[in-house]
Amino acid sequence: MALLTIQNLALGYDAHAIVQGLNFSVSSGDYLCIVGENGSGKTTLIKALLHLQEPISGQILIGDGLRKNEIGYLPQQTVVQKDFPASVREIVLSGCQGRCGFRPFYRKEEKQLAEDNMARMGISALANHCYRELSGGQQQRVLLARALCATQKALLLDEPVSGLDPKGTSEMYHLIAQLNREGIAIIMVSHDIAAAVRYASHILHIGAAVFYGTREAYLQSDVGKCFLTHQKGGEA
């Protein structure tokens, strides 16, 4: 059974659709990359999947034991977020807030979960460091550890390598791929079509044309061929 099933989804503002006709699903172990032109509705789709914005029409169904607040989210970083004056441990632990309900404190098991996920991301030694003093790659590891505190099933990543140097980019993709191999479903919004082609099991393309299918099917589709050609032309 799928973790997420999206049926005939239309998204936009004030009843004006930015994107419509979205039909796709995400199951345990899937690695879905969402690609498309700027302004095509990728950010709006993120908000809908996180239940922060209601769709104009269609449905977002959850299943396979996934709860509504159990999608771990790694946002695209802003300058303000990069300068956040909190410790690494505090930020990672804040990922457990969805587990607390109305309880104003963290339990022992939640504190342990934060410690475990810091170890998982190789940042235990940074636990007491101030977040804003870290490198970009270290900050992304902190945010990924935080997201893991919210889920055991699905991660939603918005441009997770934005602003990272080549070494940091490679390490981040390696970490994400490892989590996927452990069975966590990955939903990644990215402008990096090369990474999508390399890592994704499925690709959702939204824009003037909509495509959903396996990576192999995307590479053979007219939508995929056109977008890849355009991307290569933009890099020239």
Side-chain angles (χ1 to χ4, degrees):
M1 184 178 181
L3 296 168
L4 290 168
T5 303
I6 282 65
Q7 297 179 339
N8 300 316
L9 202 66
L11 301 169
Y13 301 90
D14 299 325
H16 172 69
I18 297 173
V19 60
Q20 53 191 332
L22 296 182
N23 291 278
F24 64 95
S25 63
V26 180
S27 299
S28 295
D30 282 356
Y31 194 137
L32 172 67
C33 277
I34 302 173
V35 302
E37 299 81 1
N38 290 333
S40 60
K42 298 188 292 295
T43 299
T44 308
L45 177 56
I46 288 174
K47 292 178 180 178
L49 293 177
L50 293 172
H51 303 282
L52 299 176
Q53 180 175 324
E54 289 294 320
I56 294 174
S57 61
Q59 291 183 298
I60 300 175
L61 306 175
I62 59 175
D64 200 18
L66 183 71
R67 295 193 296 268
K68 188 175 180 178
N69 65 343
E70 204 181 16
I71 298 177
Y73 177 48
L74 193 158
Q76 186 172 354
Q77 282 211 80
T78 65
V79 173
V80 173
Q81 289 168 329
K82 290 181 179 181
D83 199 38
F84 196 67
S87 74
V88 167
R89 180 178 281 108
E90 288 170 334
I91 289 177
V92 174
L93 191 54
S94 70
C96 295
Q97 287 179 353
R99 301 172 181 270
C100 295
F102 295 105
R103 175 166 36 87
F105 58 89
Y106 297 110
R107 290 182 174 143
K108 180 180 179 180
E109 56 266 30
E110 290 156 354
K111 293 178 180 178
Q112 186 59 54
L113 179 62
E115 296 295 327
D116 291 344
N117 282 321
M118 284 191 290
R120 201 174 181 183
M121 293 295 102
I123 55 172
S124 295
L126 302 174
N128 296 318
H129 289 228
C130 184
Y131 175 78
R132 63 185 177 189
E133 296 173 356
L134 306 181
S135 69
Q138 289 171 331
Q139 287 184 342
Q140 286 298 78
R141 285 174 179 254
V142 172
L143 295 181
L144 194 50
R146 179 185 186 276
L148 287 168
C149 284
T151 189
Q152 297 295 319
K153 293 178 178 291
L155 285 171
L156 176 55
L157 315 174
D158 186 7
E159 301 288 354
V161 301
S162 178
L164 299 185
D165 60 25
K167 182 175 183 291
T169 295
S170 178
E171 290 175 349
M172 181 55 59
Y173 280 140
H174 177 78
L175 284 171
I176 294 168
Q178 179 59 41
L179 293 171
N180 182 241
R181 287 192 292 269
E182 293 172 7
I184 295 178
I186 302 296
I187 306 168
M188 184 174 76
V189 175
S190 180
H191 285 98
D192 188 351
I193 190 64
V197 169
R198 179 176 179 182
Y199 293 103
S201 62
H202 296 76
I203 292 178
L204 172 66
H205 181 114
I206 59 179
V210 173
F211 174 93
Y212 167 70
T214 64
R215 172 183 57 194
E216 292 77 13
Y218 181 71
L219 292 174
Q220 295 301 316
S221 70
D222 290 340
V223 175
K225 289 177 181 178
C226 181
F227 189 63
L228 285 166
T229 300
H230 174 76
Q231 291 294 100
K232 289 177 180 178
E235 294 171 358

CSV table of all heavy atoms in Angstrom, one decimal, residues 164-226:
chain,number,residue,atom,x,y,z
A,164,LEU,N,25.6,24.4,-1.5
A,164,LEU,CA,26.7,23.6,-1.1
A,164,LEU,C,27.8,23.5,-2.1
A,164,LEU,O,27.5,23.6,-3.3
A,164,LEU,CB,26.2,22.2,-0.7
A,164,LEU,CG,25.2,22.0,0.4
A,164,LEU,CD1,24.9,20.6,0.6
A,164,LEU,CD2,25.6,22.8,1.6
A,165,ASP,N,29.0,23.4,-1.7
A,165,ASP,CA,30.1,23.2,-2.6
A,165,ASP,C,30.1,21.7,-3.1
A,165,ASP,O,29.3,20.9,-2.6
A,165,ASP,CB,31.5,23.5,-1.9
A,165,ASP,CG,31.8,22.6,-0.7
A,165,ASP,OD1,31.2,21.5,-0.6
A,165,ASP,OD2,32.5,23.0,0.2
A,166,PRO,N,30.9,21.4,-4.1
A,166,PRO,CA,30.8,20.1,-4.7
A,166,PRO,C,31.0,18.9,-3.7
A,166,PRO,O,30.3,17.9,-3.8
A,166,PRO,CB,32.0,20.1,-5.7
A,166,PRO,CG,32.1,21.5,-6.1
A,166,PRO,CD,31.8,22.3,-4.9
A,167,LYS,N,31.9,19.1,-2.7
A,167,LYS,CA,32.1,18.0,-1.7
A,167,LYS,C,30.9,17.9,-0.8
A,167,LYS,O,30.4,16.8,-0.6
A,167,LYS,CB,33.3,18.4,-0.8
A,167,LYS,CG,33.7,17.3,0.2
A,167,LYS,CD,35.0,17.7,0.9
A,167,LYS,CE,35.4,16.6,1.9
A,167,LYS,NZ,34.4,16.5,3.1
A,168,GLY,N,30.3,19.0,-0.4
A,168,GLY,CA,29.1,19.0,0.4
A,168,GLY,C,28.0,18.4,-0.3
A,168,GLY,O,27.1,17.7,0.2
A,169,THR,N,27.9,18.7,-1.6
A,169,THR,CA,26.8,18.2,-2.5
A,169,THR,C,26.9,16.7,-2.6
A,169,THR,O,25.9,16.0,-2.4
A,169,THR,CB,26.9,18.9,-3.9
A,169,THR,OG1,26.6,20.3,-3.8
A,169,THR,CG2,25.9,18.2,-4.8
A,170,SER,N,28.1,16.2,-2.9
A,170,SER,CA,28.3,14.8,-3.0
A,170,SER,C,27.9,14.0,-1.7
A,170,SER,O,27.3,13.0,-1.7
A,170,SER,CB,29.7,14.5,-3.4
A,170,SER,OG,30.0,13.1,-3.5
A,171,GLU,N,28.4,14.6,-0.6
A,171,GLU,CA,28.1,14.0,0.7
A,171,GLU,C,26.6,13.9,1.0
A,171,GLU,O,26.1,13.0,1.6
A,171,GLU,CB,28.9,14.7,1.8
A,171,GLU,CG,30.4,14.5,1.7
A,171,GLU,CD,31.1,15.3,2.8
A,171,GLU,OE1,30.5,16.2,3.4
A,171,GLU,OE2,32.4,15.1,2.9
A,172,MET,N,25.9,15.0,0.7
A,172,MET,CA,24.5,15.1,1.0
A,172,MET,C,23.7,14.1,0.2
A,172,MET,O,22.8,13.4,0.7
A,172,MET,CB,24.0,16.5,0.8
A,172,MET,CG,22.5,16.7,1.0
A,172,MET,SD,21.9,16.2,2.7
A,172,MET,CE,23.0,17.3,3.7
A,173,TYR,N,24.0,14.0,-1.1
A,173,TYR,CA,23.4,13.0,-2.0
A,173,TYR,C,23.7,11.6,-1.5
A,173,TYR,O,22.8,10.7,-1.5
A,173,TYR,CB,23.8,13.2,-3.4
A,173,TYR,CG,23.1,14.3,-4.2
A,173,TYR,CD1,23.8,15.1,-5.0
A,173,TYR,CD2,21.8,14.5,-4.0
A,173,TYR,CE1,23.2,16.1,-5.7
A,173,TYR,CE2,21.1,15.5,-4.7
A,173,TYR,CZ,21.8,16.3,-5.6
A,173,TYR,OH,21.2,17.3,-6.2
A,174,HIS,N,24.9,11.3,-1.0
A,174,HIS,CA,25.2,10.0,-0.5
A,174,HIS,C,24.4,9.7,0.8
A,174,HIS,O,23.9,8.6,0.9
A,174,HIS,CB,26.7,10.0,-0.1
A,174,HIS,CG,27.1,8.7,0.5
A,174,HIS,ND1,27.3,7.5,-0.2
A,174,HIS,CD2,27.4,8.3,1.8
A,174,HIS,CE1,27.7,6.5,0.6
A,174,HIS,NE2,27.7,7.0,1.8
A,175,LEU,N,24.2,10.7,1.7
A,175,LEU,CA,23.4,10.5,2.9
A,175,LEU,C,21.9,10.2,2.5
A,175,LEU,O,21.3,9.3,3.1
A,175,LEU,CB,23.5,11.7,3.8
A,175,LEU,CG,24.8,11.9,4.6
A,175,LEU,CD1,24.7,13.3,5.2
A,175,LEU,CD2,24.9,10.8,5.6
A,176,ILE,N,21.4,10.9,1.6
A,176,ILE,CA,20.0,10.7,1.2
A,176,ILE,C,19.8,9.4,0.6
A,176,ILE,O,18.8,8.7,0.8
A,176,ILE,CB,19.6,11.9,0.2
A,176,ILE,CG1,19.6,13.2,0.9
A,176,ILE,CG2,18.2,11.6,-0.4
A,176,ILE,CD1,19.5,14.4,0.0
A,177,ALA,N,20.8,9.0,-0.3
A,177,ALA,CA,20.7,7.6,-0.9
A,177,ALA,C,20.7,6.5,0.1
A,177,ALA,O,20.1,5.5,0.0
A,177,ALA,CB,21.8,7.5,-2.0
A,178,GLN,N,21.6,6.7,1.1
A,178,GLN,CA,21.7,5.7,2.2
A,178,GLN,C,20.4,5.6,2.9
A,178,GLN,O,19.9,4.5,3.2
A,178,GLN,CB,22.8,6.1,3.1
A,178,GLN,CG,23.0,5.1,4.3
A,178,GLN,CD,23.3,3.7,3.9
A,178,GLN,OE1,24.1,3.5,2.9
A,178,GLN,NE2,22.7,2.7,4.5
A,179,LEU,N,19.8,6.7,3.3
A,179,LEU,CA,18.5,6.7,4.0
A,179,LEU,C,17.4,6.0,3.1
A,179,LEU,O,16.6,5.2,3.6
A,179,LEU,CB,18.0,8.1,4.3
A,179,LEU,CG,18.9,8.8,5.3
A,179,LEU,CD1,18.5,10.3,5.4
A,179,LEU,CD2,18.8,8.2,6.7
A,180,ASN,N,17.5,6.2,1.8
A,180,ASN,CA,16.5,5.6,0.9
A,180,ASN,C,16.8,4.0,0.9
A,180,ASN,O,15.8,3.3,0.9
A,180,ASN,CB,16.7,6.1,-0.5
A,180,ASN,CG,15.7,5.5,-1.5
A,180,ASN,OD1,16.1,5.0,-2.5
A,180,ASN,ND2,14.4,5.7,-1.3
A,181,ARG,N,18.0,3.6,0.9
A,181,ARG,CA,18.3,2.2,0.9
A,181,ARG,C,17.8,1.5,2.2
A,181,ARG,O,17.6,0.3,2.2
A,181,ARG,CB,19.8,2.0,0.8
A,181,ARG,CG,20.3,2.2,-0.7
A,181,ARG,CD,21.7,1.7,-0.9
A,181,ARG,NE,22.7,2.5,-0.1
A,181,ARG,CZ,23.3,3.5,-0.6
A,181,ARG,NH1,23.1,4.0,-1.8
A,181,ARG,NH2,24.2,4.2,0.2
A,182,GLU,N,17.7,2.3,3.3
A,182,GLU,CA,17.2,1.8,4.5
A,182,GLU,C,15.7,1.7,4.6
A,182,GLU,O,15.1,1.3,5.6
A,182,GLU,CB,17.7,2.7,5.7
A,182,GLU,CG,19.2,2.7,5.9
A,182,GLU,CD,19.7,3.7,6.9
A,182,GLU,OE1,18.8,4.4,7.5
A,182,GLU,OE2,20.9,3.9,7.1
A,183,GLY,N,15.1,2.1,3.5
A,183,GLY,CA,13.6,2.0,3.3
A,183,GLY,C,12.8,3.3,3.5
A,183,GLY,O,11.6,3.2,3.4
A,184,ILE,N,13.5,4.4,3.7
A,184,ILE,CA,12.7,5.7,3.8
A,184,ILE,C,12.4,6.2,2.4
A,184,ILE,O,13.3,6.2,1.6
A,184,ILE,CB,13.6,6.7,4.6
A,184,ILE,CG1,13.8,6.2,6.1
A,184,ILE,CG2,12.9,8.1,4.6
A,184,ILE,CD1,14.6,7.2,6.9
A,185,ALA,N,11.2,6.5,2.2
A,185,ALA,CA,10.7,7.1,1.0
A,185,ALA,C,11.3,8.5,0.9
A,185,ALA,O,11.2,9.3,1.8
A,185,ALA,CB,9.2,7.1,0.8
A,186,ILE,N,11.9,8.9,-0.3
A,186,ILE,CA,12.4,10.2,-0.5
A,186,ILE,C,11.6,10.9,-1.5
A,186,ILE,O,11.3,10.4,-2.6
A,186,ILE,CB,13.9,10.1,-1.0
A,186,ILE,CG1,14.8,9.4,0.0
A,186,ILE,CG2,14.4,11.5,-1.3
A,186,ILE,CD1,14.9,10.1,1.4
A,187,ILE,N,11.2,12.2,-1.2
A,187,ILE,CA,10.5,13.0,-2.2
A,187,ILE,C,11.4,14.3,-2.2
A,187,ILE,O,11.5,15.0,-1.3
A,187,ILE,CB,9.1,13.4,-1.7
A,187,ILE,CG1,8.3,12.1,-1.4
A,187,ILE,CG2,8.4,14.3,-2.8
A,187,ILE,CD1,6.9,12.4,-0.7
A,188,MET,N,12.1,14.5,-3.3
A,188,MET,CA,13.0,15.5,-3.5
A,188,MET,C,12.7,16.5,-4.6
A,188,MET,O,12.6,16.1,-5.8
A,188,MET,CB,14.4,15.0,-3.7
A,188,MET,CG,15.5,16.0,-3.7
A,188,MET,SD,17.2,15.3,-3.8
A,188,MET,CE,17.3,14.8,-5.5
A,189,VAL,N,12.5,17.8,-4.3
A,189,VAL,CA,12.3,18.8,-5.3
A,189,VAL,C,13.7,19.3,-5.6
A,189,VAL,O,14.5,19.7,-4.7
A,189,VAL,CB,11.5,19.9,-4.7
A,189,VAL,CG1,11.4,21.1,-5.7
A,189,VAL,CG2,10.1,19.4,-4.4
A,190,SER,N,14.0,19.3,-6.9
A,190,SER,CA,15.4,19.7,-7.3
A,190,SER,C,15.4,20.3,-8.7
A,190,SER,O,14.7,19.9,-9.6
A,190,SER,CB,16.3,18.4,-7.2
A,190,SER,OG,17.6,18.8,-7.6
A,191,HIS,N,16.4,21.3,-8.8
A,191,HIS,CA,16.7,21.8,-10.2
A,191,HIS,C,17.9,20.9,-10.8
A,191,HIS,O,18.2,21.1,-11.9
A,191,HIS,CB,17.2,23.2,-10.1
A,191,HIS,CG,16.1,24.2,-9.9
A,191,HIS,ND1,15.7,24.7,-8.7
A,191,HIS,CD2,15.2,24.7,-10.8
A,191,HIS,CE1,14.7,25.5,-8.8
A,191,HIS,NE2,14.3,25.5,-10.0
A,192,ASP,N,18.4,20.0,-10.0
A,192,ASP,CA,19.6,19.2,-10.4
A,192,ASP,C,19.1,18.0,-11.2
A,192,ASP,O,18.9,16.9,-10.6
A,192,ASP,CB,20.4,18.9,-9.2
A,192,ASP,CG,21.7,18.2,-9.6
A,192,ASP,OD1,21.9,17.9,-10.8
A,192,ASP,OD2,22.6,18.0,-8.7
A,193,ILE,N,18.8,18.2,-12.5
A,193,ILE,CA,18.3,17.1,-13.3
A,193,ILE,C,19.3,15.9,-13.3
A,193,ILE,O,18.9,14.7,-13.4
A,193,ILE,CB,17.9,17.5,-14.7
A,193,ILE,CG1,17.1,16.4,-15.4
A,193,ILE,CG2,19.1,18.0,-15.5
A,193,ILE,CD1,15.8,16.1,-14.8
A,194,ALA,N,20.6,16.2,-13.3
A,194,ALA,CA,21.6,15.1,-13.3
A,194,ALA,C,21.4,14.2,-12.1
A,194,ALA,O,21.5,13.0,-12.2
A,194,ALA,CB,23.0,15.7,-13.4
A,195,ALA,N,21.1,14.8,-10.9
A,195,ALA,CA,20.9,14.0,-9.7
A,195,ALA,C,19.7,13.2,-9.8
A,195,ALA,O,19.6,12.1,-9.4
A,195,ALA,CB,20.9,14.9,-8.5
A,196,ALA,N,18.6,13.8,-10.4
A,196,ALA,CA,17.4,13.1,-10.5
A,196,ALA,C,17.6,11.9,-11.4
A,196,ALA,O,17.1,10.8,-11.1
A,196,ALA,CB,16.3,14.0,-11.2
A,197,VAL,N,18.3,12.0,-12.5
A,197,VAL,CA,18.5,10.9,-13.4
A,197,VAL,C,19.4,9.8,-12.7
A,197,VAL,O,19.2,8.6,-13.0
A,197,VAL,CB,19.2,11.4,-14.7
A,197,VAL,CG1,19.7,10.3,-15.6
A,197,VAL,CG2,18.2,12.3,-15.5
A,198,ARG,N,20.3,10.3,-11.9
A,198,ARG,CA,21.2,9.3,-11.2
A,198,ARG,C,20.5,8.5,-10.1
A,198,ARG,O,20.7,7.3,-9.9
A,198,ARG,CB,22.4,10.0,-10.7
A,198,ARG,CG,23.4,9.1,-10.0
A,198,ARG,CD,24.7,9.8,-9.6
A,198,ARG,NE,25.6,8.9,-8.9
A,198,ARG,CZ,26.8,9.3,-8.4
A,198,ARG,NH1,27.1,10.6,-8.4
A,198,ARG,NH2,27.5,8.4,-7.8
A,199,TYR,N,19.8,9.3,-9.3
A,199,TYR,CA,19.3,8.6,-8.0
A,199,TYR,C,17.8,8.2,-8.0
A,199,TYR,O,17.4,7.3,-7.3
A,199,TYR,CB,19.5,9.6,-6.8
A,199,TYR,CG,20.9,9.9,-6.5
A,199,TYR,CD1,21.6,11.1,-6.9
A,199,TYR,CD2,21.7,8.9,-5.8
A,199,TYR,CE1,22.9,11.3,-6.6
A,199,TYR,CE2,23.0,9.2,-5.5
A,199,TYR,CZ,23.6,10.4,-5.9
A,199,TYR,OH,24.9,10.6,-5.6
A,200,ALA,N,17.0,8.9,-8.7
A,200,ALA,CA,15.5,8.7,-8.6
A,200,ALA,C,15.1,7.3,-9.1
A,200,ALA,O,15.6,6.8,-10.1
A,200,ALA,CB,14.8,9.8,-9.4
A,201,SER,N,14.1,6.8,-8.4
A,201,SER,CA,13.4,5.6,-9.0
A,201,SER,C,12.2,6.1,-9.8
A,201,SER,O,11.9,5.4,-10.8
A,201,SER,CB,12.9,4.7,-7.8
A,201,SER,OG,12.0,5.4,-7.0
A,202,HIS,N,11.6,7.2,-9.5
A,202,HIS,CA,10.5,7.8,-10.2
A,202,HIS,C,10.7,9.3,-10.3
A,202,HIS,O,11.4,9.9,-9.5
A,202,HIS,CB,9.2,7.5,-9.5
A,202,HIS,CG,8.8,6.1,-9.4
A,202,HIS,ND1,9.5,5.2,-8.5
A,202,HIS,CD2,7.9,5.3,-10.0
A,202,HIS,CE1,8.9,4.0,-8.6
A,202,HIS,NE2,8.0,4.1,-9.5
A,203,ILE,N,10.2,9.9,-11.4
A,203,ILE,CA,10.3,11.3,-11.6
A,203,ILE,C,8.9,11.9,-11.9
A,203,ILE,O,8.1,11.3,-12.6
A,203,ILE,CB,11.2,11.6,-12.8
A,203,ILE,CG1,12.6,11.3,-12.4
A,203,ILE,CG2,11.1,13.1,-13.2
A,203,ILE,CD1,13.6,11.5,-13.5
A,204,LEU,N,8.6,13.0,-11.2
A,204,LEU,CA,7.4,13.8,-11.5
A,204,LEU,C,7.8,15.1,-12.1
A,204,LEU,O,8.6,15.8,-11.5
A,204,LEU,CB,6.6,14.0,-10.2
A,204,LEU,CG,5.4,15.0,-10.3
A,204,LEU,CD1,4.3,14.4,-11.2
A,204,LEU,CD2,4.9,15.4,-8.9
A,205,HIS,N,7.4,15.3,-13.3
A,205,HIS,CA,7.7,16.6,-14.0
A,205,HIS,C,6.4,17.4,-14.0
A,205,HIS,O,5.4,16.9,-14.5
A,205,HIS,CB,8.2,16.3,-15.4
A,205,HIS,CG,8.6,17.5,-16.2
A,205,HIS,ND1,9.8,17.8,-16.6
A,205,HIS,CD2,7.8,18.6,-16.6
A,205,HIS,CE1,9.9,19.0,-17.2
A,205,HIS,NE2,8.6,19.5,-17.2
A,206,ILE,N,6.5,18.6,-13.5
A,206,ILE,CA,5.3,19.5,-13.6
A,206,ILE,C,5.7,20.8,-14.3
A,206,ILE,O,6.8,21.2,-14.3
A,206,ILE,CB,4.7,19.8,-12.2
A,206,ILE,CG1,5.7,20.4,-11.3
A,206,ILE,CG2,4.2,18.5,-11.6
A,206,ILE,CD1,5.2,20.8,-9.9
A,207,GLY,N,4.7,21.3,-15.0
A,207,GLY,CA,5.0,22.5,-15.8
A,207,GLY,C,4.0,22.6,-17.0
A,207,GLY,O,2.8,22.2,-16.8
A,208,ALA,N,4.4,23.0,-18.1
A,208,ALA,CA,3.6,23.1,-19.3
A,208,ALA,C,3.0,21.7,-19.6
A,208,ALA,O,1.9,21.5,-20.1
A,208,ALA,CB,4.3,23.6,-20.5
A,209,ALA,N,3.9,20.7,-19.4
A,209,ALA,CA,3.4,19.3,-19.5
A,209,ALA,C,3.7,18.6,-18.2
A,209,ALA,O,4.6,18.9,-17.4
A,209,ALA,CB,4.2,18.6,-20.6
A,210,VAL,N,2.9,17.6,-17.9
A,210,VAL,CA,3.0,16.8,-16.6
A,210,VAL,C,3.4,15.4,-17.0
A,210,VAL,O,2.8,14.8,-17.9
A,210,VAL,CB,1.7,16.8,-15.8
A,210,VAL,CG1,1.8,15.9,-14.6
A,210,VAL,CG2,1.4,18.3,-15.4
A,211,PHE,N,4.3,14.8,-16.3
A,211,PHE,CA,4.7,13.4,-16.4
A,211,PHE,C,5.0,12.8,-15.1
A,211,PHE,O,5.6,13.5,-14.2
A,211,PHE,CB,6.0,13.3,-17.3
A,211,PHE,CG,6.6,11.9,-17.4
A,211,PHE,CD1,6.2,11.1,-18.4
A,211,PHE,CD2,7.4,11.4,-16.4
A,211,PHE,CE1,6.7,9.8,-18.5
A,211,PHE,CE2,7.9,10.1,-16.5
A,211,PHE,CZ,7.5,9.3,-17.5
A,212,TYR,N,4.6,11.6,-14.9
A,212,TYR,CA,4.9,10.8,-13.7
A,212,TYR,C,5.2,9.4,-14.2
A,212,TYR,O,4.4,8.8,-14.9
A,212,TYR,CB,3.8,10.8,-12.7
A,212,TYR,CG,4.1,9.7,-11.6
A,212,TYR,CD1,5.1,9.9,-10.7
A,212,TYR,CD2,3.3,8.6,-11.6
A,212,TYR,CE1,5.4,8.9,-9.8
A,212,TYR,CE2,3.6,7.6,-10.6
A,212,TYR,CZ,4.6,7.8,-9.7
A,212,TYR,OH,4.9,6.8,-8.8
A,213,GLY,N,6.3,8.9,-13.8
A,213,GLY,CA,6.7,7.5,-14.1
A,213,GLY,C,8.1,7.1,-13.6
A,213,GLY,O,8.7,7.9,-12.9
A,214,THR,N,8.6,6.0,-14.0
A,214,THR,CA,9.9,5.6,-13.6
A,214,THR,C,11.0,6.5,-14.3
A,214,THR,O,10.7,7.2,-15.3
A,214,THR,CB,10.2,4.1,-14.0
A,214,THR,OG1,10.2,4.1,-15.5
A,214,THR,CG2,9.2,3.2,-13.4
A,215,ARG,N,12.1,6.5,-13.7
A,215,ARG,CA,13.3,7.2,-14.3
A,215,ARG,C,13.5,6.8,-15.8
A,215,ARG,O,13.7,7.7,-16.6
A,215,ARG,CB,14.5,7.0,-13.5
A,215,ARG,CG,15.8,7.6,-14.1
A,215,ARG,CD,17.0,7.2,-13.2
A,215,ARG,NE,17.1,5.8,-13.1
A,215,ARG,CZ,17.9,5.2,-12.2
A,215,ARG,NH1,18.6,5.9,-11.3
A,215,ARG,NH2,17.9,3.8,-12.1
A,216,GLU,N,13.4,5.5,-16.0
A,216,GLU,CA,13.7,5.0,-17.4
A,216,GLU,C,12.6,5.5,-18.3
A,216,GLU,O,12.9,5.9,-19.5
A,216,GLU,CB,13.8,3.5,-17.4
A,216,GLU,CG,14.9,2.9,-16.6
A,216,GLU,CD,14.8,3.0,-15.1
A,216,GLU,OE1,13.7,3.2,-14.6
A,216,GLU,OE2,15.8,2.7,-14.4
A,217,ALA,N,11.4,5.5,-17.9
A,217,ALA,CA,10.3,6.0,-18.8
A,217,ALA,C,10.4,7.5,-19.0
A,217,ALA,O,10.1,7.9,-20.1
A,217,ALA,CB,8.9,5.6,-18.1
A,218,TYR,N,10.8,8.2,-18.0
A,218,TYR,CA,11.0,9.7,-18.2
A,218,TYR,C,12.1,10.0,-19.2
A,218,TYR,O,11.9,10.9,-20.1
A,218,TYR,CB,11.4,10.3,-16.8
A,218,TYR,CG,11.6,11.8,-16.9
A,218,TYR,CD1,10.5,12.7,-17.1
A,218,TYR,CD2,12.8,12.4,-16.8
A,218,TYR,CE1,10.6,14.0,-17.1
A,218,TYR,CE2,13.0,13.8,-16.8
A,218,TYR,CZ,11.9,14.6,-17.0
A,218,TYR,OH,12.1,15.9,-17.1
A,219,LEU,N,13.2,9.3,-19.2
A,219,LEU,CA,14.3,9.5,-20.1
A,219,LEU,C,13.8,9.2,-21.6
A,219,LEU,O,14.4,9.8,-22.5
A,219,LEU,CB,15.5,8.6,-19.8
A,219,LEU,CG,16.2,9.0,-18.4
A,219,LEU,CD1,17.3,8.0,-18.1
A,219,LEU,CD2,16.8,10.4,-18.5
A,220,GLN,N,12.9,8.3,-21.7
A,220,GLN,CA,12.4,8.0,-23.1
A,220,GLN,C,11.2,8.8,-23.5
A,220,GLN,O,10.8,8.8,-24.7
A,220,GLN,CB,12.0,6.5,-23.1
A,220,GLN,CG,13.1,5.5,-22.9
A,220,GLN,CD,14.2,5.7,-23.9
A,220,GLN,OE1,14.0,5.8,-25.1
A,220,GLN,NE2,15.5,5.7,-23.5
A,221,SER,N,10.6,9.6,-22.6
A,221,SER,CA,9.4,10.4,-22.9
A,221,SER,C,9.8,11.7,-23.6
A,221,SER,O,10.9,12.2,-23.5
A,221,SER,CB,8.7,10.7,-21.6
A,221,SER,OG,9.4,11.7,-20.8
A,222,ASP,N,8.8,12.3,-24.4
A,222,ASP,CA,9.1,13.5,-25.0
A,222,ASP,C,9.3,14.6,-24.0
A,222,ASP,O,10.1,15.5,-24.2
A,222,ASP,CB,7.8,13.9,-25.9
A,222,ASP,CG,7.7,13.0,-27.1
A,222,ASP,OD1,8.7,12.3,-27.5
A,222,ASP,OD2,6.6,12.9,-27.7
A,223,VAL,N,8.5,14.6,-22.9
A,223,VAL,CA,8.7,15.6,-21.8
A,223,VAL,C,10.1,15.6,-21.3
A,223,VAL,O,10.8,16.6,-21.2
A,223,VAL,CB,7.7,15.3,-20.7
A,223,VAL,CG1,8.0,16.3,-19.5
A,223,VAL,CG2,6.3,15.5,-21.2
A,224,GLY,N,10.6,14.4,-21.0
A,224,GLY,CA,12.0,14.2,-20.4
A,224,GLY,C,13.0,14.7,-21.4
A,224,GLY,O,14.0,15.4,-21.1
A,225,LYS,N,12.9,14.2,-22.7
A,225,LYS,CA,13.9,14.6,-23.7
A,225,LYS,C,14.0,16.1,-23.9
A,225,LYS,O,15.1,16.6,-24.0
A,225,LYS,CB,13.6,13.8,-25.0
A,225,LYS,CG,13.8,12.3,-24.9
A,225,LYS,CD,13.4,11.7,-26.2
A,225,LYS,CE,13.6,10.2,-26.2
A,225,LYS,NZ,13.2,9.5,-27.5
A,226,CYS,N,12.8,16.7,-23.9
A,226,CYS,CA,12.8,18.1,-24.2
A,226,CYS,C,13.4,18.9,-23.0
A,226,CYS,O,14.2,19.8,-23.2
A,226,CYS,CB,11.3,18.6,-24.4
A,226,CYS,SG,11.1,20.3,-24.7
